Amino acid sequence: MKRRSLPVAAALTATAALLLTACGGGDDDSGGNDKIAGADTGSSPSAPSSSATETADRPDITLPEGVEDVFEKWETGHTTKDAVLSDAARAQTAMNDAITQGKPDTPGLTFYYEGKALTTSVKWVQKWLDAGITYTGTTRYFNPKVELFDDKSAGVSFCADETKAYNKGRKTGKVDKAPASNDSYVLYNTRLEKSEKGVWRTTDGTSVRGSKTCVQ
């Protein structure tokens, strides 16, 4: 098993494959592309809150003890951009929640993903189940960038630091503390579209493991 990687959606382009390499999946490692998808065509900080007026009844998502998502500087001061970033962050936590619960149909996953992104995400969670693993530790998300395409679509790119997150046997509880490497850093590019209820849902995404944009 290689060090885990938590996907936003998995690559949904013509060369798409599940992003995560926890059990044999392949990342898109072609050149460290940091272009935003869709363009030109605990005590730790949690996901930023959106100040936008919404009518959506959002699901309550709480990660289990020992699992944390840390979002660094995910606020810009721009109302719409911050709403996009907030839901992009919630989508990440929803994915992690589904993996740790071992359920590919959690309310959070089906709420923050749609279309191809949802289909691919569900398949990815199932792969974790089939492999008999979950994970523990902290994933740090940093260097977010957001671009508004119009009033209902946007792109977000960001980095993930998985140096303190480890695969864990679902039945045995054994933690695999594999040494960190450049592959512990992942660059994500995602596309989000705004629903009628004001939720920015992830619809597309790609990743680059070991991207020079993210390696620290």
Side-chain angles (χ1 to χ4, degrees):
M1 290 292 183
K2 296 182 180 179
R3 173 173 291 274
R4 70 179 194 96
S5 166
L6 301 179
V8 178
L12 298 174
T13 59
T15 58
L18 284 171
L19 299 181
L20 309 196
T21 55
C23 198
D27 283 7
D28 174 7
D29 56 3
S30 56
N33 178 23
D34 60 0
K35 186 176 182 180
I36 292 177
D40 301 328
T41 54
S43 60
S44 298
S46 58
S49 60
S50 170
S51 59
T53 300
E54 299 173 355
T55 58
D57 183 13
R58 295 177 179 276
D60 181 27
I61 301 175
T62 303
L63 294 175
E65 183 178 357
V67 179
E68 288 185 286
D69 284 350
V70 176
F71 296 91
E72 291 187 352
K73 299 180 180 180
W74 276 59
E75 293 184 345
T76 67
H78 184 285
T79 300
T80 303
K81 288 184 177 181
D82 284 351
V84 174
L85 286 173
S86 182
D87 280 342
R90 290 183 179 117
Q92 280 299 114
T93 299
M95 173 67 74
N96 299 348
D97 174 61
I99 290 173
T100 55
Q101 284 197 53
K103 298 179 180 179
D105 59 350
T106 60
L109 201 66
T110 56
F111 187 88
Y112 288 109
Y113 293 87
E114 68 176 349
K116 293 180 179 179
L118 176 59
T119 299
T120 308
S121 297
V122 167
K123 289 179 178 179
W124 178 246
V125 175
Q126 187 61 50
K127 282 187 175 291
W128 282 77
L129 284 171
D130 293 343
I133 57 174
T134 179
Y135 82 96
T136 188
T138 299
T139 307
R140 181 174 65 97
Y141 300 100
F142 63 100
N143 195 27
K145 297 178 181 177
V146 57
E147 180 177 347
L148 303 177
F149 304 144
D150 52 44
D151 59 353
K152 291 187 177 182
S153 63
V156 174
S157 70
F158 57 93
C159 296
D161 170 7
E162 300 173 353
T163 57
K164 295 182 179 180
Y166 309 97
N167 287 347
K168 178 181 178 180
R170 194 171 291 277
K171 291 184 178 180
T172 66
K174 183 178 180 180
V175 177
D176 178 13
K177 290 197 172 183
S181 68
N182 287 354
D183 283 348
S184 303
Y185 296 90
V186 186
L187 170 67
Y188 290 108
N189 291 299
T190 64
R191 179 181 177 87
L192 298 91
E193 297 181 11
K194 190 176 182 180
S195 73
E196 293 182 355
K197 293 185 177 181
V199 180
W200 289 91
R201 308 180 77 191
T202 299
T203 61
D204 200 349
T206 60
S207 77
V208 180
R209 178 164 289 283
S211 170
K212 293 181 180 179
T213 300
C214 299
V215 173
Q216 296 186 331

